[in-house]
Amino acid sequence: MSVILDEKLELIYQDVLHRNAGETEFHQAVHEVLETLGPVMVKYPEYAERKIIQRICEPERQIIFRVPWQDDKGEIQINRAFRVEFNSALGPYKGGMRFHPSVYLGIIKFLGFEQIFKNALTGMPIGGGKGGSDFDPKGRSDDEIMRFCQSLMTELFRHIGEYTDVPAGDIGVGAREIGYLFGQYKRITNRYESGVFTGKGINWGGSCARTEATGYGTVFFVQEMLKARNDSLDGKTCVVSGSGNVAIYAIDKAMQLGAKVIACSDSNGVILDEQGIDLNLVKRLKEVERRRLSAYTEERSHAKYLPGGNIWQIPCDVALPCATQNELNGKDAKSLVENGCIAVAEGANMPTTPEGIAIFQQAGIAYGPGKAANAGGVATSALEMQQNASRDFWTFEHTEARLQEIMVNIHRNCFETAEEFGAPGNYVVGANIAGFLRVARAMDAMGVI
Ligand code: NDP
Ligand code: 2IT
């Protein structure tokens, strides 16, 4: 790890390593937060005394279970699923479910840990949690996805609830999966408990703008970072990694605000379209036809498909990593900076390695970490819960306006907190400390919990 920790924090970190052996992504997420908490321990020694950090690093509850199901050939498949209920000081556990073959406990714990601070930053009443499975949805039929979701929910239903734990989507989990999961929950419990899930379909309890929220929110965050530097997105060249839910709506909002998005990607390669990405085509290929991004050049022959390509080598003003963890390393950060990039905001969770973050910060570019920049998704989930609780349904315009207001507030909070703690312009410091303090104050008020 790049930064050396204060002595007390190093001891806490060593304990986390020891108790959670082999969970490298979780170690990375914890280290990044501990790096910034030194000045907090000086200003609020009572939190150190009452071991708030050690308590936050230990999940309240971790559930691991078997998910057996039958594929279309009748063959039995066995997957493993997780729900890590990390912290409920501010509200019910809240966070997505990820279906991806790389999922293991260390991934779910890093995501759940990040979620605590992110959710605190939104200012909404939501705790932190995350779940998922090592199930690989690629190439599976709708029926297989349904049977898998039903089997998973046959165990998960007993752990979740509107006031307990409220899952949503993440990688590999979108509206289709949430439909199957919610349907099975409703059937088992005999309750139409809308608030138990977010990301639901618009005509059965979902919220307008939830689909768009993470990508839109990330771009609203960029807009605020640039405003703070007397600049704007108008006329800027952008690259966006990924071509899933977050990437698609980040591209959409960046274009609406006058930027030119010239590249996006998937895990196989990169599309470079100097005329500007044809977003309707990407949406159709990914959301409707569920095809690989390489199919883009079948209809846009002037565009280039770079198999195995590195999107961060493409010169741009603004880079938005919106695919997955550790997708942007020190070398990539160096290329971006050398090619004149002025702003990076993370639509994905922990996409930049510690070496990459250090390079962005040394170069003085505007760098928005995921727990601040992608908080618009979960914030809009909380707006969905609010609508469900009051049996109300807001318009797209109203919901988007609330989302933008929340992102402006998160930016301001991170910006001001960074200044207060002696690190002006450092949004990592601002996000970690502002998020931590909100959780710490709530935990401290509730005694030894
Ligand atoms: P999707 O499943 O819709 O899309 C994921 C995209 O990232 C795909 O293009 C996928 O390519 C690519 N990708 C996934 N895993 C890998 C990998 N291991 N290597 C390379 N590329 C990969 O997921 P989302 O758009 O919802 O999520 C993207 C990121 O945003 C994640 O980090 C997620 O945690 C984060 N996030 C999501 C929120 C949400 O509301 N959905 C909210 C906040 C953060 P391929 O198809 O080839 O796998
Ligand atoms: O990482 C995230 O914030 C999400 N996947 C969204 C979580 C949610 O509960 O909406």
Side-chain angles (χ1 to χ4, degrees):
M1 301 289 166
S2 47
V3 177
I4 295 172
L5 296 177
D6 292 1
E7 203 180 328
K8 264 193 198 149
L9 293 166
E10 177 63 29
L11 288 175
I12 296 176
Y13 182 64
Q14 288 304 323
D15 198 39
V16 167
L17 287 184
H18 192 73
R19 290 165 75 83
N20 305 281
E23 297 172 2
T24 49
E25 295 82 2
F26 179 48
H27 304 162
Q28 183 182 336
V30 170
H31 198 279
E32 190 224 272
V33 170
L34 296 186
E35 281 171 22
T36 59
L37 292 186
V40 180
M41 295 304 102
V42 175
K43 194 162 177 187
Y44 301 100
E46 64 273 25
Y47 293 150
E49 221 169 87
R50 296 205 272 273
K51 302 202 176 169
I52 298 282
I53 301 179
Q54 290 93 322
R55 283 192 262 158
I56 288 183
C57 290
E58 183 68 18
E60 289 177 17
R61 190 177 298 110
Q62 308 184 52
I63 301 148
I64 306 183
F65 55 99
R66 177 173 68 197
V67 185
W69 57 283
Q70 274 180 296
D71 67 20
D72 285 345
K73 295 191 200 106
E75 198 176 318
I76 294 171
Q77 302 282 341
I78 298 119
N79 286 98
R80 183 177 291 175
F82 306 84
R83 189 73 190 166
V84 175
E85 298 179 334
F86 228 115
N87 194 296
S88 61
L90 294 173
Y93 310 107
K94 181 83 196 88
M97 294 289 290
R98 175 178 290 193
F99 294 170
H100 193 272
S102 63
V103 164
Y104 76 106
L105 188 57
I107 295 270
I108 301 301
K109 274 164 75 174
F110 116 66
L111 290 163
F113 183 76
E114 291 274 296
Q115 202 84 45
I116 304 171
F117 305 96
K118 183 196 301 190
N119 293 6
L121 282 173
T122 65
M124 318 287 287
I126 41 179
K130 199 85 187 190
S133 173
D134 58 5
F135 172 71
D136 186 356
K138 280 201 187 90
R140 291 294 179 191
S141 68
D142 279 1
D143 284 349
E144 289 178 314
I145 301 278
M146 181 180 74
R147 286 196 294 274
F148 173 77
C149 289
Q150 290 178 339
S151 179
L152 184 142
M153 187 51 77
T154 302
E155 171 59 34
L156 188 65
F157 87 95
R158 64 186 95 247
H159 307 290
I160 63 176
E162 173 181 12
Y163 296 106
T164 316
D165 184 354
V166 182
D170 193 82
I171 290 177
V173 178
R176 173 182 61 172
E177 291 72 20
I178 287 169
Y180 296 146
L181 292 165
F182 182 77
Q184 183 74 349
Y185 181 86
K186 183 172 78 60
R187 198 171 175 209
I188 296 175
T189 59
N190 193 32
R191 283 164 64 85
Y192 205 112
E193 192 186 330
S194 299
V196 70
F197 245 97
T198 63
K200 301 181 293 297
I202 297 289
N203 61 338
W204 48 276
S207 172
C208 287
R210 175 62 190 90
T211 305
E212 294 82 0
T214 311
Y216 277 21
T218 301
V219 175
F220 287 142
F221 196 87
V222 175
Q223 196 180 21
E224 293 307 304
M225 291 200 299
L226 292 178
K227 241 190 237 168
R229 294 171 174 229
N230 297 317
D231 204 347
S232 80
L233 266 166
D234 195 33
K236 296 290 188 292
T237 299
C238 293
V239 304
V240 179
S241 68
S243 48
N245 173 262
V246 179
I248 285 175
Y249 293 96
I251 295 172
D252 186 5
K253 186 51 75 178
M255 286 175 167
Q256 285 179 30
L257 295 178
K260 185 176 184 190
V261 182
I262 57 166
C264 61
S265 63
D266 64 13
S267 57
N268 296 120
V270 175
I271 286 289
L272 171 61
D273 187 340
E274 301 277 7
Q275 293 178 16
I277 291 288
D278 179 342
L279 186 58
N280 285 331
L281 175 54
V282 174
K283 276 187 170 176
R284 172 159 59 77
L285 291 173
K286 303 307 290 188
E287 293 182 336
V288 183
E289 297 169 4
R290 296 182 185 277
R291 294 179 70 191
R292 305 304 296 159
L293 192 58
S294 53
Y296 185 95
T297 51
E298 287 170 16
E299 295 179 50
R300 307 285 287 174
S301 54
H302 64 271
K304 281 194 202 115
Y305 178 64
L306 315 166
N310 182 341
I311 195 168
W312 313 124
Q313 304 278 328
I314 299 171
C316 64
D317 301 309
V318 175
L320 305 176
C322 295
T324 193
Q325 63 278 350
N326 292 327
E327 56 164 314
L328 196 167
N329 62 25
K331 245 173 97 183
D332 301 328
K334 213 161 160 245
S335 307
L336 284 168
V337 169
E338 281 171 3
N339 287 332
C341 176
I342 58 163
V344 175
E346 298 180 338
N349 286 306
M350 207 170 76
T352 311
T353 63
E355 296 73 24
I357 297 173
I359 287 167
F360 290 148
Q361 291 183 333
Q362 279 151 23
I365 71 166
Y367 165 67
K371 54 171 91 63
N374 71 40
V378 76
T380 307
S381 280
L383 299 178
E384 181 172 332
M385 292 162 75
Q386 203 173 320
Q387 292 167 79
N388 294 153
S390 56
R391 302 192 186 282
D392 202 354
F393 183 73
W394 305 344
T395 62
F396 190 95
E397 291 69 27
H398 177 71
T399 318
E400 191 190 359
R402 292 284 306 265
L403 164 65
Q404 184 165 11
E405 192 184 306
I406 291 167
M407 295 313 296
V408 169
N409 287 338
I410 292 174
H411 175 271
R412 188 188 312 117
N413 192 3
C414 294
F415 189 88
E416 291 176 358
T417 306
E419 298 222 314
E420 183 190 337
F421 284 85
N426 187 330
Y427 291 100
V428 177
V429 166
N432 289 347
I433 296 183
F436 172 80
L437 285 176
R438 184 159 182 247
V439 180
R441 286 182 182 125
M443 286 177 73
D444 208 32
M446 294 178 197
V448 181
I449 57 156

